[in-house]
Amino acid sequence: MTPEERRARFSAVHLYLVAPLVTDGRTLLDIATHAVAGGVDAIQLRDKIATDAELVAGLRGLRQLCDITGTLLVLNDRPDLAVAGGADAVHVGQDDVPVDEARGIVGEDLLIGLSTHSKGQIDLAHVGGASGDPEAVPDHIGVGPIHDTPTKAGAKAVGVDLIPHAAAGELPFVAIGGIDAQTIHAVLKAGAPRVAVVRAIAEADDPRAAASLLRGAVDARR
């Protein structure tokens, strides 16, 4: 895909799954296969303990599924491995590789997502950070954590108040953090066009059914 095609695909994303290589003994490929059938249209591999080789192999294993289904494939934190594994995008945090450095690694072909946790961080993302460098403007942002979540231990929940602020900007965004079948409605009502989930799908007994329920909520609001 061209960068423009990747941006268009992200803009059309409804439900974004974030998960490690293995959850409760099930591989991400297995979970993703069922989750995509239920409506997930973006997958981020986020695994803080996997080796470089495992991350690259994991991406390559997911690539065929994503190509067949039109699903966007993202790697957390590692722009170098995103290139090596054939991902469509890399997602970095405020304390990870800066966006401009990530751009220097992945070039113009891959998308770059950036986590934001405040109005100030959202505003800075739009202008390229404190330096105002166009190369430091991400292609999209994550907003959260909306609710407390063990996947972001120690991070303060921001609630839904940041969502309207993000929605008023030009960068596409995804709301993330403790979103499940009970909390998703308030997130959507606040103006989130797409949501990212971790445990609500990855730890579900039936990832396809869990994804279908969440996707139905997003589709109904959109």
Side-chain angles (χ1 to χ4, degrees):
M1 288 186 291
T2 66
E4 292 74 19
E5 289 171 332
R6 287 192 169 104
R7 291 188 187 97
R9 182 165 290 184
F10 182 85
S11 294
V13 165
H14 296 70
L15 183 59
Y16 187 138
L17 170 64
V18 181
L21 285 169
V22 179
T23 301
D24 296 336
R26 295 182 298 183
T27 67
L28 177 54
L29 180 58
D30 177 57
I31 293 169
T33 299
H34 294 287
V36 168
V40 161
D41 43 18
I43 299 169
Q44 181 187 138
L45 169 55
R46 180 182 185 272
D47 196 316
K48 298 298 186 181
I49 62 172
T51 66
D52 290 4
E54 289 170 338
L55 290 172
V56 171
L59 286 174
R60 291 176 176 171
L62 290 163
R63 186 70 264 175
Q64 184 175 9
L65 170 67
C66 291
D67 286 341
I68 291 171
T69 59
T71 305
L72 201 70
L73 180 59
V74 186
L75 178 64
N76 181 268
D77 189 24
R78 295 291 302 275
D80 55 335
L81 300 186
V83 174
D88 296 303
V90 62
H91 189 91
V92 296
Q94 292 288 323
D95 298 322
D96 295 329
V97 178
V99 172
D100 57 344
E101 290 186 22
R103 182 65 69 197
I105 296 169
V106 305
E108 297 299 324
D109 288 341
L110 273 63
L111 305 183
I112 299 176
L114 173 68
S115 295
T116 61
H117 316 295
S118 68
K119 289 182 178 180
Q121 290 177 356
I122 292 171
D123 293 342
L124 283 174
H126 280 79
V127 299
S131 65
D133 183 358
E135 291 296 310
V137 177
D139 295 286
H140 53 266
I141 57 176
V143 175
I146 305 301
H147 301 289
D148 291 327
T149 171
T151 61
K152 284 287 186 179
K156 182 180 178 181
V158 300
V160 299
D161 292 343
L162 285 185
I163 293 175
H165 188 75
E170 296 182 358
L171 288 176
F173 74 97
V174 56
I176 185 170
I179 300 173
D180 56 27
Q182 284 70 50
T183 62
I184 190 171
H185 300 288
V187 174
L188 297 172
K189 185 177 180 181
R194 60 189 64 81
V195 297
V197 300
V198 184
R199 293 170 298 144
I201 292 177
E203 296 181 5
D205 292 335
D206 186 341
R208 178 171 181 169
S212 180
L213 181 63
L214 293 164
R215 176 62 184 263
V218 179
D219 288 347
R221 176 62 63 173
R222 288 176 62 141

